[in-house]
Amino acid sequence: MSLKAQDPHIEKEPAGIGRRRFLNAAAALGIGSVTLAGCKEESKPAQGGAAAGGAAPAHGAEAPHQGGAGPVHIPPGQLDTHYGLWSSGHTGDARVIGIPSGRELLRMPCFVPDPLTGWGITNESKAVMGTKPDGTLEYVVGDTHHMQASYKDGIYDGKYCWINDKINARIARFRLDYFVCDKITKLPNVQGFHGIFPDKRDPVDPAINYTTRVFCGQEFRIPMPNHGKDLEDTEKYGALFTCVDALTMDVKWQARINGNCDLVATSFDGKLAATNQYNLEEADFYAEMMSRERDACLFFHVARIEQAIKDGKFTHIGDSKVPVVDCRVENNKDPKSAMVVRVSVPKNPHGVNASPDGKYFVCSGKLSPTCTVIDLQKVLDWFDGKLDDPDKSIVAEPEVGLGPLHTTFDGRGNAYTTLFLDSQVCKWNIEKAIKKYAGDKTVNPIVHKIDVMYQPGHINATCAETKAADGIWMAVGNKFSKDRFLPVGPLHPENDQLLDITGEQMILAHDNAVRPEPHDFVILPRDWLHPKQVYNLDDFPLATKSQADTGVTRNGKKVTVRITSVAPAYEPTEFNVKVGDEVTLILTNLDKVEDLTHGFAIPEYNIQFIVNPQETKSVTFKIDKPGVFWYYCTNFCHALHLEMRGRMIVEP
Amino acid sequence: MSLKAQDPHIEKEPAGIGRRRFLNAAAALGIGSVTLAGCKEESKPAQGGAAAGGAAPAHGAEAPHQGGAGPVHIPPGQLDTHYGLWSSGHTGDARVIGIPSGRELLRMPCFVPDPLTGWGITNESKAVMGTKPDGTLEYVVGDTHHMQASYKDGIYDGKYCWINDKINARIARFRLDYFVCDKITKLPNVQGFHGIFPDKRDPVDPAINYTTRVFCGQEFRIPMPNHGKDLEDTEKYGALFTCVDALTMDVKWQARINGNCDLVATSFDGKLAATNQYNLEEADFYAEMMSRERDACLFFHVARIEQAIKDGKFTHIGDSKVPVVDCRVENNKDPKSAMVVRVSVPKNPHGVNASPDGKYFVCSGKLSPTCTVIDLQKVLDWFDGKLDDPDKSIVAEPEVGLGPLHTTFDGRGNAYTTLFLDSQVCKWNIEKAIKKYAGDKTVNPIVHKIDVMYQPGHINATCAETKAADGIWMAVGNKFSKDRFLPVGPLHPENDQLLDITGEQMILAHDNAVRPEPHDFVILPRDWLHPKQVYNLDDFPLATKSQADTGVTRNGKKVTVRITSVAPAYEPTEFNVKVGDEVTLILTNLDKVEDLTHGFAIPEYNIQFIVNPQETKSVTFKIDKPGVFWYYCTNFCHALHLEMRGRMIVEP
């Protein structure tokens, strides 16, 4: 069926949209309709198998993929070669995936509660997540899109990664030693926080060769502040580009801009940050957002912004104490003092990615079949007054196919762009694209195209946005999977496909089913991370270091219960409290053996959490029901695990 | 390191435990200590790879597993051959896994909120989950253990599956057409609801050749009722075996028993249900639970129980209206009228499984190195007065290894038992075990043992507990993974291993990382399920069937907002409300294309849910903040997905 037939905006002219603007909208929708409706039902896999829905694989009939990256299947006892750090979309957490196997090694909770670990239940996790005055969680939903890791000397240093929450404008940081979220920051006066990227070194101090800032883009324009005034007048709405301190996680500054922010990129020299902008129209309805032929990539001169703040050239918005600088283009026309410059990109671009050689940013066209290659030195030249027109920093606009969204790199001069509408990845050569744009009609920058299944979004190759891009594996996050997996009802998994990119032609190696909806991801070699697998008891101020120190302490109605776990028993195995008490229960896992995690649940009291080896966690709750409540170990720990339990005896 | 050194109960004699009982406890702990401390660090995979932590697989060096079941890796475009329905432990949901690939195709929310689907946020899901008077969820944690599917004629009919919540004594049912939870029932007067099994046909009516009951075991003994009396006197505690109506999901009856319930099994003829019992001591501390040399498998005569209820021979507990029959053994000594009989099993058994030929139940020893094979016809003979001693129904007790937990079957007369302490699976032949037990010393029932990594719990082979057991693949849920996957901090994934069991010897085929903690699972051929992938608009009473019917209706402060979605737009794209309003927002997805799911989030209002094709969902919330709030599509749907949004304009 055709989506077009369902869409009222095709049949009638939306109010307030002129004839030409309407045609633009209809054309763009037409593309989407045709492709989605057809959705390549007839597609065959690129290699190595029968069509979807075909017969079961015959005995011994496997045709392993034959690329240079090696096999996908990791035999029992072997380890994956790469870590993948993955966003989870509206599932609201983050994931660690083994590459090439595609096995999910960990889900890392951050913005939403996690019943397994007790995230959102323990006092420690609630302190990170944030609570209302009544102690309940401020937010219980999240929408994570972009996962980026901290850099040093142009490669990932294995310290941190960050992720955004689009629904509630939060940024979370994960420690990559313990793989846990340790900080969440709310961005003030922001709605639709989408793109995120850490800087790669300091713009001024060459000694700071590592990440100290994370830049955050605002997609939805809102009244500034959003407190109930200027509700209907969208011309008074604004958008902010936010800089967060990577170490303290405090918001350093915000920049008010025209249009909106979509994705974010940073230069390897630390001097430039940028965001692609798809709504320079500042419209509030999709058809109107497509009226301009060209939107933009907006570049921020980080050093000048921070100098302006030092010079006191900032304001505040509403109650926020964060300094806000004015980065609207009409107030930044003089290259010598400008904090921003706009480089035009064909209409409604999506995605901006930094090439690993440090030279270029590549914006994808979305509604234009092109990518736009911007030479960063020329952008700096404009800020230095050496380039009269910022659009002269555009050095290539190769035509890659329909619906280009994101681009990645192999470190050998090639770029790989997802084509949402074509359901393909296009491999193209950057220098050839530049030669062609410069007038050499003999070169063809397109190297290879391959079908992916279906409607690809983000794409990333191993180490692609580092100086060590190695061009081994490439993952593609497909938004539709349709017929690629066994049917499981109306909700389909996404299809994260893995491709071998070691050769001239890409090879499709693996379809990996994943819960909706991964957006972005980074993939790095396993020896770039150095996780710790047992906690240090001393890192927990509340730790009960000996079983002799366990037990109940009462202060009026406030009761503290200290419990330790050593497989297969808690100590104590029972404690008494009374209805009306407020209990703070502190559990320390004294087991030191790696992987010897215990759980702790209390029936009817909504308490469940785990304690890893040498970890301490606490929960505080009101006693409101009399009776016997068996607390028990929820994490299988020992042959006598079922017997690991004790009684909370509640007197009326 | 030794766990023994950490355990205070080894060093001192626990109060109230006699000398002999203490020795029993110490001996059992000793076994656990040695094995866990060693944890097979030196183990090599059984085939096909270097040791864990070894080099990355070399190019082209993959040694695909060579068993008769076929390859593990499913090439792009091919489908898995089997569905796996998996429990999730304290993650609190259920999962659908593709077999043999191990890919997670779906997580099915039930007991805990799910931010992706909006489970626990929408009015429809809250009605299934249950709410407090203030509208918030009654429970936000869960601990799912056992997943079982509905039967017809001795095989799965693809209609339903069920799962338990151990923390809060709930049972959830999933529809297997849409793969969604449609009912949750709370068991009255139960704590530690653990085992679960549907019946396979009616015990009396031969026309009812399908599942109509689900049996549920209570593990933790509590005061009956648990309302604050008899708190400390454990001799007055009780446990219940519960029967739930499979169709209405109402609780039909409960049976009060001695001891406790662990796992549950049912016979193929519908006449018998059973639970293994590890705590006939009725103790409250693990060391005391090990004092008896033999515990039991308790058999229920279903027809007699239901006749007793018809005859009015039941009581009630507390406020519950559920009829409770007395199945304590001292009141069921006459075989001709008994509703239960106890068959003894060596100490602290774990697991009871029905052989696919319908003849036997197999209990695992846990603290005994044996399995106990019970002949069901002989149990029926006892109920008929033809067998003087119920223990004469035991026809074999093969010695399989240390820490036997669960058993599965290949349909060719072999059983496969997990050995928790040995970290092995033992394959043994049932008829040979029976011959040996009968006195034939020439036979050796043990066929093969294989190392698994590490500490295996549940085990299940394809269709194993159906009459169509086919002996192709076997999954083993290992409770420790230690060195089998890339390290991701202190919380290790579990290791669900897949073995090819088509040959005489088992072959280890795949290590699959899974989020803690899968317990049980069933695996069935893909053609046994017939999912639907697009909803029927007419199945939703609140559906808005036309865009013309969208908009805002106000009744005082109660506001109804009807919205439809058709990619890439909502209708309407804005609506106005006021602080103080109570809004019920109803969203119908009018898109009909398979896989064309939309999401819907409102910033700052904790609203996020998805609508699959032709689905309708609703949310009700209070308006408490003025300003502009962009609702937007969270599920990538179209080239213009980012532009799919609208404004909730809240006037002060």
Side-chain angles (χ1 to χ4, degrees), chain A residues 3 6 8 29 36 45 48-54 56 59 62 67 71 73 75-81 83 90 103-104 107 114-116 121 138-141 143 166-168 179 186 191 219-221 226 231-232 234 237 278 284-286 289 348 350 366 420 479-482 484 486-490 492 509-511 515-517 526 531-533 535 547 566 573 576 590-591 594-595 603-604 606 627-630 632 634-636 639 642-643 645 647 650, chain B residues 6 8 45 48-52 54 56 59 62 67 71 73 75-81 83 90 103-104 107 114-116 121 138-141 143 166-168 179 186 191 219-221 226 231-232 234 237 278 284-286 289 348 350 366 420 479-482 484 486-490 492 509-511 515-517 526 531-533 535 547 566 568 573 576 590-591 594-595 603-604 606 627-630 632 634-639 642-643 645 647 650:
Chain A
L3 292 181
Q6 290 182 44
L29 281 168
L36 273 178
H59 175 197
E62 182 169 29
H73 183 245
Q78 289 193 13
L79 301 179
D80 281 297
T81 55
Y83 285 97
H90 34 327
R103 293 178 293 198
E104 183 186 86
R107 301 179 208 158
D114 176 60
L116 172 73
I121 292 172
E138 181 87 26
Y139 301 109
V140 296
V141 296
D143 184 18
K166 183 168 176 178
I167 300 179
N168 292 310
F179 284 78
K186 171 91 175 168
Q191 217 171 87
E219 196 182 336
F220 302 160
R221 295 175 61 83
N226 189 24
L231 288 171
E232 310 265 3
T234 55
Y237 289 17
Y278 68 77
D284 61 331
F285 181 63
Y286 79 94
M289 294 177 195
N348 292 50
H350 187 61
K366 191 166 74 175
F420 183 84
K479 301 299 186 181
F480 288 73
S481 68
K482 293 185 67 75
R484 303 295 283 190
L486 288 180
V488 287
H492 292 233
H510 189 48
D511 282 9
R515 185 155 181 82
E517 176 181 342
R526 64 185 185 194
K532 299 175 184 172
Q533 298 194 270
Y535 281 106
Q547 288 182 321
V566 176
T573 54
N576 289 57
L590 290 179
D591 275 316
E594 182 189 312
D595 203 5
E604 307 297 335
N606 276 319
V628 171
F629 302 92
W630 286 95
Y632 73 97
T634 42
N635 208 89
F636 213 105
L642 281 179
E643 289 84 347
R645 47 181 155 119
R647 285 179 297 164
V650 180
Chain B
Q6 290 181 46
H59 174 196
E62 183 170 27
H73 183 246
Q78 289 192 12
L79 300 180
D80 281 298
T81 55
Y83 285 97
H90 33 330
R103 294 177 293 198
E104 184 186 85
R107 300 179 207 157
D114 176 61
L116 172 73
I121 292 172
E138 181 87 27
Y139 302 110
V140 296
V141 297
D143 183 18
K166 184 168 175 178
I167 299 179
N168 293 311
F179 285 78
K186 170 92 175 168
Q191 217 171 88
E219 196 182 336
F220 303 160
R221 294 175 62 83
N226 190 25
L231 288 171
E232 309 265 2
T234 54
Y237 289 18
Y278 68 78
D284 61 329
F285 181 63
Y286 78 94
M289 294 177 197
N348 291 53
H350 188 61
K366 190 165 77 177
F420 182 84
K479 299 301 186 179
F480 289 73
S481 68
K482 294 184 67 75
R484 302 295 283 190
L486 288 180
V488 288
H492 293 234
H510 189 48
D511 282 9
R515 185 152 182 86
E517 175 178 343
R526 65 184 184 194
K532 299 175 184 172
Q533 299 196 269
Y535 280 106
Q547 289 182 322
V566 176
T573 55
N576 289 56
L590 291 180
D591 274 318
E594 184 187 311
D595 202 7
E604 307 298 333
N606 276 318
V628 171
F629 302 92
W630 286 94
Y632 72 97
T634 43
N635 207 88
F636 213 104
C637 60
H638 189 280
L642 282 178
E643 289 84 345
R645 47 180 154 120
R647 288 179 296 164
V650 180

Side-chain angles (χ1 to χ4, degrees), chain B residues 144-362:
Chain B
T144 67
H145 280 228
H146 301 108
M147 167 68 91
Q148 298 297 339
S150 56
Y151 285 82
K152 185 174 182 182
D153 276 332
I155 65 169
Y156 302 128
D157 65 2
K159 281 194 173 170
Y160 295 116
C161 62
W162 290 271
I163 203 164
N164 72 305
D165 167 24
K166 184 168 175 178
I167 299 179
N168 293 311
R170 293 176 290 172
I171 176 171
R173 182 176 71 184
F174 299 95
R175 292 174 60 154
L176 289 177
D177 50 357
Y178 291 121
F179 285 78
V180 293
C181 175
D182 73 336
K183 290 268 191 187
I184 291 178
T185 296
K186 170 92 175 168
L187 307 186
N189 296 301
V190 169
Q191 217 171 88
F193 163 30
H194 192 208
I196 176 177
F197 221 100
D199 68 359
K200 293 164 185 143
R201 62 188 311 141
D202 191 80
V204 177
D205 184 350
I208 303 176
N209 60 346
Y210 51 88
T211 294
T212 56
R213 302 166 182 80
V214 186
F215 299 104
C216 310
Q218 171 172 358
E219 196 182 336
F220 303 160
R221 294 175 62 83
I222 51 171
M224 296 271 161
N226 190 25
H227 292 165
K229 292 181 183 170
D230 302 320
L231 288 171
E232 309 265 2
D233 185 358
T234 54
E235 297 211 352
K236 290 195 179 165
Y237 289 18
L240 301 169
F241 185 79
T242 300
C243 176
V244 172
D245 187 298
L247 302 177
T248 65
M249 288 291 283
D250 294 333
V251 179
K252 279 170 78 94
W253 50 260
Q254 295 184 298
R256 182 153 181 181
I257 61 161
N258 308 92
N260 69 345
C261 307
D262 186 16
L263 279 290
V264 173
T266 63
S267 65
F268 279 88
D269 62 10
K271 292 178 179 167
L272 296 171
T275 184
N276 69 295
Q277 303 189 284
Y278 68 78
N279 186 16
L280 284 190
E281 298 87 350
E282 302 187 347
D284 61 329
F285 181 63
Y286 78 94
E288 299 173 50
M289 294 177 197
M290 294 184 291
S291 62
R292 289 173 62 111
E293 282 305 324
R294 290 183 82 89
D295 286 291
C297 183
L298 185 67
F299 284 84
F300 298 86
H301 193 296
V302 179
R304 286 188 189 168
I305 289 173
E306 299 192 351
Q307 187 60 49
I309 291 164
K310 277 188 191 161
D311 297 342
K313 296 175 184 168
F314 60 83
T315 58
H316 295 291
I317 298 175
D319 305 331
S320 168
K321 301 283 180 253
V322 173
V324 180
V325 294
D326 186 349
C327 284
R328 286 173 288 197
V329 286
E330 63 268 24
N331 300 325
N332 287 271
K333 288 192 171 166
D334 178 2
K336 290 288 192 181
S337 63
M339 295 182 285
V340 287
V341 68
R342 195 191 269 172
V343 177
S344 83
V345 177
K347 68 188 314 168
N348 291 53
H350 188 61
V352 52
N353 295 93
S355 67
D357 58 10
K359 292 183 185 172
Y360 310 111
F361 280 5
V362 177

Side-chain angles (χ1 to χ4, degrees), chain A residues 619-640:
Chain A
V619 284
T620 298
F621 57 103
K622 284 269 187 189
I623 300 292
D624 57 5
K625 291 174 273 294
V628 171
F629 302 92
W630 286 95
Y631 49 91
Y632 73 97
C633 180
T634 42
N635 208 89
F636 213 105
C637 60
H638 189 280
L640 293 171

Side-chain angles (χ1 to χ4, degrees), chain A residues 270-282:
Chain A
K271 292 179 180 167
L272 295 171
T275 185
N276 68 293
Q277 304 189 282
Y278 68 77
N279 187 15
L280 284 189
E281 298 86 351
E282 301 187 349

Side-chain angles (χ1 to χ4, degrees), chain B residues 24 26 46 99 135 189 238 258 269 276 328 344 346 370 389 441 456 461 552 554 578 618 638:
Chain B
N24 278 341
I99 299 292
N189 296 301
N258 308 92
D269 62 10
N276 69 295
R328 286 173 288 197
S344 83
T370 57
D389 178 358
K441 294 196 192 304
V552 174
R554 177 177 287 277
K578 288 178 187 163
S618 66
H638 189 280

